[in-house]
Amino acid sequence: MSSRDKKGLIKVLLSEEDKNPVLGYSFFENYFNEDCKQYINYLDRNKVFDSFEKLIEYAFKIGCEGSMLRIMFEEHYEELYNEIRAGLRYDYDTNDDTITLDRGDLMDLLENKYLADVLDETGEIFTNYWDVDIEEVKDIMNDRELEMLEKNPELEHDILNIYMWAYNQTADEEAYEDVVDGLKSFFSTDDVKFHMANNRKRFFIIDGKSFLHNVIHDWFTNVEDDYLDELYECGSVSCILQLMIGEINGYEKISTKVGGNYYYPDSKILEDYFHSGFKDNIG
């Protein structure tokens, strides 16, 4: 809405307020030159309303929501924080200030969407099998394992499967840690927990207090008053992420060391898994 249209709406709405001249359009026009911020400041400081909530409701009603929110940020920060926090109904738990991220949320957050499979039903990411040459696997086999293969050539298929399992297990764990590290950095917390519900659906539970404070500060520092209500009216962290990522400096999708759906994991850990799997399944 243009400023001219908005002033016309304010004129109509204020003309309906005839019980108190302070709430009339002529007072707004003559004393404040139709300046929302000065007017709302006056109503706030002179306690025209018997509660701050009524002032907020009134400011939004007459189209001065941007100025109201700016005043809240500058002079009533706790009220602003609590209002925005209370409006997050879907993925923010106000009982303990935690954010819940599911697989869809993770896909929106990660530069490499493939890694969102850490919250897949199986929790497995690297499940693709490809041709592995037994000579390649022999490079990591110890003398005992090589001797068993030489005496029992039919074990080759099982050994290749064990190698692939060791590879995927190692890569999955590294990818998981990579994602968790990215979440810790993005949400400014070390408190990132994996959770599996009774229906086996997987989530990340994240301490959201610092993140919410940071978002409010960065939004109100970088956005003009006419657009402040976009954050205020968000009903979820998912909505906040859509607003912030790519729009506010410093809010970018999480980049990870693990890229694509093919990855070379730590060779030492892979070998340890291989030897363990060989012992458990072959002897």
Side-chain angles (χ1 to χ4, degrees), residues 118-160:
V118 296
L119 293 182
D120 187 57
E121 289 183 2
T122 63
E124 296 175 346
I125 303 173
F126 299 95
T127 56
N128 294 335
Y129 284 76
W130 59 90
D131 292 334
V132 179
D133 190 282
I134 190 63
E135 297 302 319
E136 178 182 348
V137 181
K138 284 180 179 179
D139 289 340
I140 68 169
M141 294 172 67
N142 59 37
D143 292 342
R144 185 181 66 85
E145 293 162 349
L146 289 170
E147 184 179 350
M148 290 182 68
L149 173 60
E150 185 177 353
K151 291 180 178 178
N152 303 278
E154 69 277 7
L155 291 176
E156 180 177 321
H157 179 73
D158 292 337
I159 291 171
L160 290 175

mmCIF file of all heavy atoms in Angstrom, residues 118-160:
data_model
loop_
_atom_site.group_PDB
_atom_site.id
_atom_site.type_symbol
_atom_site.label_atom_id
_atom_site.label_comp_id
_atom_site.label_asym_id
_atom_site.label_seq_id
_atom_site.Cartn_x
_atom_site.Cartn_y
_atom_site.Cartn_z
ATOM 1 N N VAL A 118 19.544 -37.199 6.583
ATOM 2 C CA VAL A 118 19.888 -37.576 7.964
ATOM 3 C C VAL A 118 18.616 -37.683 8.801
ATOM 4 O O VAL A 118 18.611 -38.322 9.848
ATOM 5 C CB VAL A 118 20.861 -36.577 8.633
ATOM 6 C CG1 VAL A 118 22.197 -36.567 7.930
ATOM 7 C CG2 VAL A 118 20.272 -35.187 8.729
ATOM 8 N N LEU A 119 17.522 -37.059 8.324
ATOM 9 C CA LEU A 119 16.237 -37.160 9.020
ATOM 10 C C LEU A 119 15.253 -38.034 8.249
ATOM 11 O O LEU A 119 14.050 -37.998 8.497
ATOM 12 C CB LEU A 119 15.629 -35.763 9.236
ATOM 13 C CG LEU A 119 16.388 -34.854 10.201
ATOM 14 C CD1 LEU A 119 15.665 -33.524 10.360
ATOM 15 C CD2 LEU A 119 16.560 -35.517 11.562
ATOM 16 N N ASP A 120 15.782 -38.820 7.333
ATOM 17 C CA ASP A 120 14.948 -39.812 6.651
ATOM 18 C C ASP A 120 14.540 -40.896 7.646
ATOM 19 O O ASP A 120 15.112 -41.014 8.731
ATOM 20 C CB ASP A 120 15.739 -40.426 5.492
ATOM 21 C CG ASP A 120 14.875 -41.339 4.633
ATOM 22 O OD1 ASP A 120 13.851 -40.855 4.137
ATOM 23 O OD2 ASP A 120 15.239 -42.519 4.471
ATOM 24 N N GLU A 121 13.545 -41.683 7.296
ATOM 25 C CA GLU A 121 13.051 -42.723 8.214
ATOM 26 C C GLU A 121 14.147 -43.683 8.640
ATOM 27 O O GLU A 121 14.141 -44.201 9.752
ATOM 28 C CB GLU A 121 11.904 -43.500 7.556
ATOM 29 C CG GLU A 121 10.620 -42.690 7.434
ATOM 30 C CD GLU A 121 9.491 -43.504 6.846
ATOM 31 O OE1 GLU A 121 9.709 -44.702 6.572
ATOM 32 O OE2 GLU A 121 8.407 -42.944 6.664
ATOM 33 N N THR A 122 15.094 -43.942 7.756
ATOM 34 C CA THR A 122 16.179 -44.880 8.088
ATOM 35 C C THR A 122 17.380 -44.159 8.684
ATOM 36 O O THR A 122 18.216 -44.786 9.334
ATOM 37 C CB THR A 122 16.644 -45.637 6.827
ATOM 38 O OG1 THR A 122 17.191 -44.687 5.903
ATOM 39 C CG2 THR A 122 15.462 -46.362 6.187
ATOM 40 N N GLY A 123 17.458 -42.838 8.452
ATOM 41 C CA GLY A 123 18.629 -42.100 8.906
ATOM 42 C C GLY A 123 19.840 -42.335 8.037
ATOM 43 O O GLY A 123 20.951 -41.895 8.351
ATOM 44 N N GLU A 124 19.656 -43.034 6.907
ATOM 45 C CA GLU A 124 20.775 -43.355 6.023
ATOM 46 C C GLU A 124 20.818 -42.355 4.872
ATOM 47 O O GLU A 124 19.791 -41.977 4.321
ATOM 48 C CB GLU A 124 20.636 -44.774 5.469
ATOM 49 C CG GLU A 124 20.700 -45.852 6.550
ATOM 50 C CD GLU A 124 20.450 -47.237 5.986
ATOM 51 O OE1 GLU A 124 19.977 -47.320 4.828
ATOM 52 O OE2 GLU A 124 20.702 -48.224 6.687
ATOM 53 N N ILE A 125 22.023 -41.967 4.515
ATOM 54 C CA ILE A 125 22.202 -41.043 3.398
ATOM 55 C C ILE A 125 22.827 -41.765 2.214
ATOM 56 O O ILE A 125 22.280 -41.807 1.117
ATOM 57 C CB ILE A 125 23.110 -39.861 3.806
ATOM 58 C CG1 ILE A 125 22.508 -39.141 5.015
ATOM 59 C CG2 ILE A 125 23.280 -38.891 2.641
ATOM 60 C CD1 ILE A 125 23.407 -38.074 5.581
ATOM 61 N N PHE A 126 23.982 -42.360 2.476
ATOM 62 C CA PHE A 126 24.749 -42.981 1.408
ATOM 63 C C PHE A 126 24.383 -44.462 1.303
ATOM 64 O O PHE A 126 25.015 -45.327 1.895
ATOM 65 C CB PHE A 126 26.248 -42.803 1.666
ATOM 66 C CG PHE A 126 26.653 -41.361 1.702
ATOM 67 C CD1 PHE A 126 26.738 -40.688 2.906
ATOM 68 C CD2 PHE A 126 26.912 -40.669 0.536
ATOM 69 C CE1 PHE A 126 27.110 -39.354 2.948
ATOM 70 C CE2 PHE A 126 27.274 -39.335 0.561
ATOM 71 C CZ PHE A 126 27.368 -38.671 1.773
ATOM 72 N N THR A 127 23.336 -44.732 0.551
ATOM 73 C CA THR A 127 22.867 -46.123 0.407
ATOM 74 C C THR A 127 23.074 -46.646 -1.012
ATOM 75 O O THR A 127 22.711 -47.771 -1.313
ATOM 76 C CB THR A 127 21.378 -46.221 0.756
ATOM 77 O OG1 THR A 127 20.643 -45.300 -0.061
ATOM 78 C CG2 THR A 127 21.133 -45.893 2.216
ATOM 79 N N ASN A 128 23.624 -45.827 -1.886
ATOM 80 C CA ASN A 128 23.852 -46.270 -3.260
ATOM 81 C C ASN A 128 25.015 -47.260 -3.311
ATOM 82 O O ASN A 128 26.052 -47.039 -2.705
ATOM 83 C CB ASN A 128 24.166 -45.069 -4.170
ATOM 84 C CG ASN A 128 22.972 -44.149 -4.304
ATOM 85 O OD1 ASN A 128 21.851 -44.582 -4.134
ATOM 86 N ND2 ASN A 128 23.229 -42.891 -4.600
ATOM 87 N N TYR A 129 24.805 -48.327 -4.049
ATOM 88 C CA TYR A 129 25.863 -49.326 -4.225
ATOM 89 C C TYR A 129 26.414 -49.205 -5.642
ATOM 90 O O TYR A 129 25.679 -48.962 -6.589
ATOM 91 C CB TYR A 129 25.307 -50.740 -3.995
ATOM 92 C CG TYR A 129 25.094 -51.047 -2.540
ATOM 93 C CD1 TYR A 129 24.003 -50.518 -1.857
ATOM 94 C CD2 TYR A 129 25.993 -51.834 -1.838
ATOM 95 C CE1 TYR A 129 23.816 -50.782 -0.507
ATOM 96 C CE2 TYR A 129 25.819 -52.109 -0.494
ATOM 97 C CZ TYR A 129 24.727 -51.577 0.161
ATOM 98 O OH TYR A 129 24.542 -51.838 1.501
ATOM 99 N N TRP A 130 27.689 -49.327 -5.779
ATOM 100 C CA TRP A 130 28.311 -49.270 -7.096
ATOM 101 C C TRP A 130 29.357 -50.370 -7.171
ATOM 102 O O TRP A 130 29.698 -51.006 -6.171
ATOM 103 C CB TRP A 130 28.917 -47.893 -7.359
ATOM 104 C CG TRP A 130 29.971 -47.480 -6.369
ATOM 105 C CD1 TRP A 130 31.304 -47.704 -6.436
ATOM 106 C CD2 TRP A 130 29.747 -46.799 -5.136
ATOM 107 N NE1 TRP A 130 31.945 -47.203 -5.346
ATOM 108 C CE2 TRP A 130 31.010 -46.633 -4.518
ATOM 109 C CE3 TRP A 130 28.611 -46.301 -4.488
ATOM 110 C CZ2 TRP A 130 31.162 -45.998 -3.303
ATOM 111 C CZ3 TRP A 130 28.767 -45.668 -3.277
ATOM 112 C CH2 TRP A 130 30.031 -45.516 -2.690
ATOM 113 N N ASP A 131 29.860 -50.605 -8.348
ATOM 114 C CA ASP A 131 30.843 -51.673 -8.544
ATOM 115 C C ASP A 131 32.150 -51.311 -7.847
ATOM 116 O O ASP A 131 32.743 -50.263 -8.104
ATOM 117 C CB ASP A 131 31.093 -51.908 -10.036
ATOM 118 C CG ASP A 131 29.890 -52.499 -10.729
ATOM 119 O OD1 ASP A 131 29.098 -53.159 -10.032
ATOM 120 O OD2 ASP A 131 29.728 -52.287 -11.942
ATOM 121 N N VAL A 132 32.575 -52.197 -6.959
ATOM 122 C CA VAL A 132 33.849 -52.037 -6.271
ATOM 123 C C VAL A 132 34.719 -53.233 -6.636
ATOM 124 O O VAL A 132 34.286 -54.378 -6.531
ATOM 125 C CB VAL A 132 33.664 -51.969 -4.741
ATOM 126 C CG1 VAL A 132 35.024 -51.822 -4.056
ATOM 127 C CG2 VAL A 132 32.753 -50.814 -4.374
ATOM 128 N N ASP A 133 35.906 -52.937 -7.044
ATOM 129 C CA ASP A 133 36.825 -54.001 -7.430
ATOM 130 C C ASP A 133 37.431 -54.612 -6.176
ATOM 131 O O ASP A 133 37.842 -53.906 -5.264
ATOM 132 C CB ASP A 133 37.925 -53.437 -8.333
ATOM 133 C CG ASP A 133 38.748 -54.541 -8.959
ATOM 134 O OD1 ASP A 133 39.617 -55.086 -8.247
ATOM 135 O OD2 ASP A 133 38.517 -54.839 -10.140
ATOM 136 N N ILE A 134 37.506 -55.944 -6.134
ATOM 137 C CA ILE A 134 38.045 -56.627 -4.970
ATOM 138 C C ILE A 134 39.494 -56.231 -4.722
ATOM 139 O O ILE A 134 39.959 -56.207 -3.558
ATOM 140 C CB ILE A 134 37.931 -58.162 -5.116
ATOM 141 C CG1 ILE A 134 38.269 -58.865 -3.788
ATOM 142 C CG2 ILE A 134 38.799 -58.648 -6.264
ATOM 143 C CD1 ILE A 134 37.334 -58.536 -2.660
ATOM 144 N N GLU A 135 40.203 -55.857 -5.781
ATOM 145 C CA GLU A 135 41.594 -55.440 -5.612
ATOM 146 C C GLU A 135 41.675 -54.152 -4.788
ATOM 147 O O GLU A 135 42.610 -53.950 -4.015
ATOM 148 C CB GLU A 135 42.266 -55.244 -6.972
ATOM 149 C CG GLU A 135 42.365 -56.517 -7.804
ATOM 150 C CD GLU A 135 43.128 -57.609 -7.073
ATOM 151 O OE1 GLU A 135 44.155 -57.290 -6.421
ATOM 152 O OE2 GLU A 135 42.708 -58.777 -7.147
ATOM 153 N N GLU A 136 40.681 -53.307 -4.963
ATOM 154 C CA GLU A 136 40.623 -52.068 -4.182
ATOM 155 C C GLU A 136 40.405 -52.382 -2.702
ATOM 156 O O GLU A 136 41.014 -51.773 -1.826
ATOM 157 C CB GLU A 136 39.492 -51.178 -4.702
ATOM 158 C CG GLU A 136 39.311 -49.875 -3.941
ATOM 159 C CD GLU A 136 38.139 -49.056 -4.475
ATOM 160 O OE1 GLU A 136 37.615 -49.378 -5.558
ATOM 161 O OE2 GLU A 136 37.752 -48.091 -3.781
ATOM 162 N N VAL A 137 39.541 -53.355 -2.439
ATOM 163 C CA VAL A 137 39.246 -53.728 -1.053
ATOM 164 C C VAL A 137 40.449 -54.421 -0.421
ATOM 165 O O VAL A 137 40.735 -54.238 0.770
ATOM 166 C CB VAL A 137 38.000 -54.625 -0.985
ATOM 167 C CG1 VAL A 137 37.682 -54.995 0.461
ATOM 168 C CG2 VAL A 137 36.803 -53.946 -1.641
ATOM 169 N N LYS A 138 41.180 -55.183 -1.203
ATOM 170 C CA LYS A 138 42.357 -55.884 -0.672
ATOM 171 C C LYS A 138 43.370 -54.915 -0.071
ATOM 172 O O LYS A 138 44.132 -55.268 0.833
ATOM 173 C CB LYS A 138 43.031 -56.709 -1.775
ATOM 174 C CG LYS A 138 42.296 -57.996 -2.127
ATOM 175 C CD LYS A 138 43.050 -58.735 -3.217
ATOM 176 C CE LYS A 138 42.362 -60.043 -3.578
ATOM 177 N NZ LYS A 138 43.086 -60.758 -4.670
ATOM 178 N N ASP A 139 43.370 -53.676 -0.577
ATOM 179 C CA ASP A 139 44.324 -52.684 -0.090
ATOM 180 C C ASP A 139 44.150 -52.385 1.396
ATOM 181 O O ASP A 139 45.099 -51.934 2.056
ATOM 182 C CB ASP A 139 44.186 -51.373 -0.885
ATOM 183 C CG ASP A 139 44.714 -51.516 -2.314
ATOM 184 O OD1 ASP A 139 45.502 -52.444 -2.555
ATOM 185 O OD2 ASP A 139 44.327 -50.682 -3.159
ATOM 186 N N ILE A 140 42.946 -52.609 1.918
ATOM 187 C CA ILE A 140 42.715 -52.302 3.338
ATOM 188 C C ILE A 140 42.575 -53.573 4.172
ATOM 189 O O ILE A 140 42.392 -53.495 5.394
ATOM 190 C CB ILE A 140 41.475 -51.400 3.537
ATOM 191 C CG1 ILE A 140 40.181 -52.164 3.183
ATOM 192 C CG2 ILE A 140 41.582 -50.115 2.731
ATOM 193 C CD1 ILE A 140 38.919 -51.434 3.611
ATOM 194 N N MET A 141 42.664 -54.741 3.560
ATOM 195 C CA MET A 141 42.521 -55.998 4.302
ATOM 196 C C MET A 141 43.834 -56.372 4.985
ATOM 197 O O MET A 141 44.921 -56.125 4.437
ATOM 198 C CB MET A 141 42.070 -57.118 3.357
ATOM 199 C CG MET A 141 40.666 -56.902 2.796
ATOM 200 S SD MET A 141 40.205 -58.090 1.504
ATOM 201 C CE MET A 141 40.125 -59.626 2.445
ATOM 202 N N ASN A 142 43.720 -56.947 6.175
ATOM 203 C CA ASN A 142 44.932 -57.385 6.872
ATOM 204 C C ASN A 142 45.316 -58.795 6.409
ATOM 205 O O ASN A 142 44.584 -59.434 5.624
ATOM 206 C CB ASN A 142 44.756 -57.311 8.392
ATOM 207 C CG ASN A 142 43.598 -58.156 8.890
ATOM 208 O OD1 ASN A 142 43.339 -59.250 8.369
ATOM 209 N ND2 ASN A 142 42.889 -57.658 9.914
ATOM 210 N N ASP A 143 46.432 -59.292 6.903
ATOM 211 C CA ASP A 143 46.951 -60.589 6.437
ATOM 212 C C ASP A 143 45.966 -61.708 6.704
ATOM 213 O O ASP A 143 45.775 -62.609 5.855
ATOM 214 C CB ASP A 143 48.290 -60.892 7.115
ATOM 215 C CG ASP A 143 49.396 -59.953 6.656
ATOM 216 O OD1 ASP A 143 49.213 -59.318 5.594
ATOM 217 O OD2 ASP A 143 50.422 -59.840 7.363
ATOM 218 N N ARG A 144 45.346 -61.716 7.875
ATOM 219 C CA ARG A 144 44.402 -62.796 8.218
ATOM 220 C C ARG A 144 43.217 -62.795 7.256
ATOM 221 O O ARG A 144 42.785 -63.855 6.781
ATOM 222 C CB ARG A 144 43.919 -62.620 9.657
ATOM 223 C CG ARG A 144 43.015 -63.758 10.151
ATOM 224 C CD ARG A 144 42.552 -63.504 11.571
ATOM 225 N NE ARG A 144 41.670 -62.339 11.642
ATOM 226 C CZ ARG A 144 40.353 -62.407 11.404
ATOM 227 N NH1 ARG A 144 39.794 -63.562 11.085
ATOM 228 N NH2 ARG A 144 39.624 -61.324 11.496
ATOM 229 N N GLU A 145 42.700 -61.607 6.946
ATOM 230 C CA GLU A 145 41.545 -61.493 6.055
ATOM 231 C C GLU A 145 41.919 -61.917 4.640
ATOM 232 O O GLU A 145 41.157 -62.631 3.956
ATOM 233 C CB GLU A 145 41.027 -60.044 6.058
ATOM 234 C CG GLU A 145 40.428 -59.637 7.403
ATOM 235 C CD GLU A 145 40.302 -58.128 7.573
ATOM 236 O OE1 GLU A 145 40.864 -57.369 6.735
ATOM 237 O OE2 GLU A 145 39.649 -57.695 8.545
ATOM 238 N N LEU A 146 43.116 -61.522 4.202
ATOM 239 C CA LEU A 146 43.567 -61.904 2.864
ATOM 240 C C LEU A 146 43.755 -63.417 2.755
ATOM 241 O O LEU A 146 43.421 -64.036 1.725
ATOM 242 C CB LEU A 146 44.881 -61.190 2.537
ATOM 243 C CG LEU A 146 44.782 -59.680 2.276
ATOM 244 C CD1 LEU A 146 46.178 -59.067 2.221
ATOM 245 C CD2 LEU A 146 44.028 -59.407 0.965
ATOM 246 N N GLU A 147 44.243 -63.992 3.810
ATOM 247 C CA GLU A 147 44.446 -65.453 3.809
ATOM 248 C C GLU A 147 43.122 -66.184 3.731
ATOM 249 O O GLU A 147 42.983 -67.178 2.992
ATOM 250 C CB GLU A 147 45.206 -65.857 5.068
ATOM 251 C CG GLU A 147 45.544 -67.343 5.108
ATOM 252 C CD GLU A 147 46.309 -67.729 6.355
ATOM 253 O OE1 GLU A 147 46.744 -66.818 7.110
ATOM 254 O OE2 GLU A 147 46.480 -68.949 6.584
ATOM 255 N N MET A 148 42.109 -65.687 4.462
ATOM 256 C CA MET A 148 40.786 -66.316 4.430
ATOM 257 C C MET A 148 40.169 -66.208 3.045
ATOM 258 O O MET A 148 39.534 -67.153 2.550
ATOM 259 C CB MET A 148 39.866 -65.663 5.470
ATOM 260 C CG MET A 148 40.266 -65.986 6.903
ATOM 261 S SD MET A 148 39.138 -65.265 8.129
ATOM 262 C CE MET A 148 37.658 -66.210 7.827
ATOM 263 N N LEU A 149 40.366 -65.051 2.381
ATOM 264 C CA LEU A 149 39.828 -64.885 1.030
ATOM 265 C C LEU A 149 40.528 -65.823 0.046
ATOM 266 O O LEU A 149 39.879 -66.417 -0.825
ATOM 267 C CB LEU A 149 39.992 -63.427 0.576
ATOM 268 C CG LEU A 149 39.614 -63.134 -0.884
ATOM 269 C CD1 LEU A 149 38.149 -63.477 -1.136
ATOM 270 C CD2 LEU A 149 39.899 -61.671 -1.233
ATOM 271 N N GLU A 150 41.844 -65.964 0.209
ATOM 272 C CA GLU A 150 42.593 -66.828 -0.693
ATOM 273 C C GLU A 150 42.130 -68.273 -0.577
ATOM 274 O O GLU A 150 42.018 -68.985 -1.586
ATOM 275 C CB GLU A 150 44.089 -66.715 -0.376
ATOM 276 C CG GLU A 150 44.974 -67.496 -1.335
ATOM 277 C CD GLU A 150 46.455 -67.321 -1.043
ATOM 278 O OE1 GLU A 150 46.802 -66.485 -0.167
ATOM 279 O OE2 GLU A 150 47.256 -68.023 -1.671
ATOM 280 N N LYS A 151 41.810 -68.712 0.656
ATOM 281 C CA LYS A 151 41.370 -70.089 0.876
ATOM 282 C C LYS A 151 39.899 -70.286 0.507
ATOM 283 O O LYS A 151 39.476 -71.409 0.215
ATOM 284 C CB LYS A 151 41.586 -70.479 2.343
ATOM 285 C CG LYS A 151 43.049 -70.600 2.738
ATOM 286 C CD LYS A 151 43.182 -70.974 4.191
ATOM 287 C CE LYS A 151 44.652 -71.145 4.597
ATOM 288 N NZ LYS A 151 44.802 -71.480 6.042
ATOM 289 N N ASN A 152 39.146 -69.162 0.540
ATOM 290 C CA ASN A 152 37.700 -69.258 0.289
ATOM 291 C C ASN A 152 37.281 -68.167 -0.700
ATOM 292 O O ASN A 152 36.683 -67.145 -0.299
ATOM 293 C CB ASN A 152 36.908 -69.102 1.585
ATOM 294 C CG ASN A 152 37.302 -70.103 2.649
ATOM 295 O OD1 ASN A 152 36.859 -71.237 2.655
ATOM 296 N ND2 ASN A 152 38.176 -69.659 3.553
ATOM 297 N N PRO A 153 37.561 -68.306 -1.973
ATOM 298 C CA PRO A 153 37.252 -67.279 -2.977
ATOM 299 C C PRO A 153 35.773 -66.912 -3.025
ATOM 300 O O PRO A 153 35.434 -65.795 -3.434
ATOM 301 C CB PRO A 153 37.700 -67.920 -4.296
ATOM 302 C CG PRO A 153 38.690 -68.968 -3.897
ATOM 303 C CD PRO A 153 38.233 -69.486 -2.568
ATOM 304 N N GLU A 154 34.914 -67.834 -2.585
ATOM 305 C CA GLU A 154 33.476 -67.559 -2.616
ATOM 306 C C GLU A 154 33.072 -66.451 -1.640
ATOM 307 O O GLU A 154 31.945 -65.945 -1.678
ATOM 308 C CB GLU A 154 32.684 -68.832 -2.302
ATOM 309 C CG GLU A 154 32.781 -69.336 -0.878
ATOM 310 C CD GLU A 154 34.027 -70.172 -0.596
ATOM 311 O OE1 GLU A 154 34.895 -70.243 -1.486
ATOM 312 O OE2 GLU A 154 34.104 -70.749 0.508
ATOM 313 N N LEU A 155 34.006 -66.044 -0.754
ATOM 314 C CA LEU A 155 33.720 -64.971 0.207
ATOM 315 C C LEU A 155 33.779 -63.578 -0.432
ATOM 316 O O LEU A 155 33.420 -62.585 0.209
ATOM 317 C CB LEU A 155 34.723 -65.019 1.368
ATOM 318 C CG LEU A 155 34.632 -66.207 2.326
ATOM 319 C CD1 LEU A 155 35.770 -66.133 3.345
ATOM 320 C CD2 LEU A 155 33.277 -66.212 3.036
ATOM 321 N N GLU A 156 34.222 -63.514 -1.679
ATOM 322 C CA GLU A 156 34.424 -62.194 -2.303
ATOM 323 C C GLU A 156 33.161 -61.334 -2.256
ATOM 324 O O GLU A 156 33.218 -60.141 -1.929
ATOM 325 C CB GLU A 156 34.884 -62.376 -3.756
ATOM 326 C CG GLU A 156 35.106 -61.044 -4.466
ATOM 327 C CD GLU A 156 35.645 -61.220 -5.887
ATOM 328 O OE1 GLU A 156 36.483 -62.116 -6.102
ATOM 329 O OE2 GLU A 156 35.211 -60.454 -6.762
ATOM 330 N N HIS A 157 32.002 -61.912 -2.591
ATOM 331 C CA HIS A 157 30.750 -61.140 -2.603
ATOM 332 C C HIS A 157 30.447 -60.575 -1.213
ATOM 333 O O HIS A 157 30.087 -59.389 -1.079
ATOM 334 C CB HIS A 157 29.601 -62.025 -3.081
ATOM 335 C CG HIS A 157 28.282 -61.324 -3.104
ATOM 336 N ND1 HIS A 157 27.946 -60.366 -4.039
ATOM 337 C CD2 HIS A 157 27.204 -61.417 -2.257
ATOM 338 C CE1 HIS A 157 26.729 -59.917 -3.797
ATOM 339 N NE2 HIS A 157 26.258 -60.529 -2.720
ATOM 340 N N ASP A 158 30.593 -61.397 -0.195
ATOM 341 C CA ASP A 158 30.335 -60.931 1.180
ATOM 342 C C ASP A 158 31.307 -59.828 1.586
ATOM 343 O O ASP A 158 30.919 -58.861 2.263
ATOM 344 C CB ASP A 158 30.462 -62.099 2.160
ATOM 345 C CG ASP A 158 29.348 -63.123 1.987
ATOM 346 O OD1 ASP A 158 28.286 -62.748 1.459
ATOM 347 O OD2 ASP A 158 29.547 -64.276 2.386
ATOM 348 N N ILE A 159 32.552 -59.974 1.186
ATOM 349 C CA ILE A 159 33.563 -58.968 1.536
ATOM 350 C C ILE A 159 33.250 -57.624 0.879
ATOM 351 O O ILE A 159 33.380 -56.566 1.507
ATOM 352 C CB ILE A 159 34.963 -59.463 1.137
ATOM 353 C CG1 ILE A 159 35.376 -60.637 2.043
ATOM 354 C CG2 ILE A 159 35.999 -58.339 1.210
ATOM 355 C CD1 ILE A 159 36.647 -61.333 1.603
ATOM 356 N N LEU A 160 32.806 -57.679 -0.381
ATOM 357 C CA LEU A 160 32.433 -56.441 -1.069
ATOM 358 C C LEU A 160 31.246 -55.762 -0.377
ATOM 359 O O LEU A 160 31.211 -54.535 -0.244
ATOM 360 C CB LEU A 160 32.090 -56.738 -2.531
ATOM 361 C CG LEU A 160 33.273 -57.142 -3.424
ATOM 362 C CD1 LEU A 160 32.780 -57.523 -4.814
ATOM 363 C CD2 LEU A 160 34.285 -56.000 -3.519
#
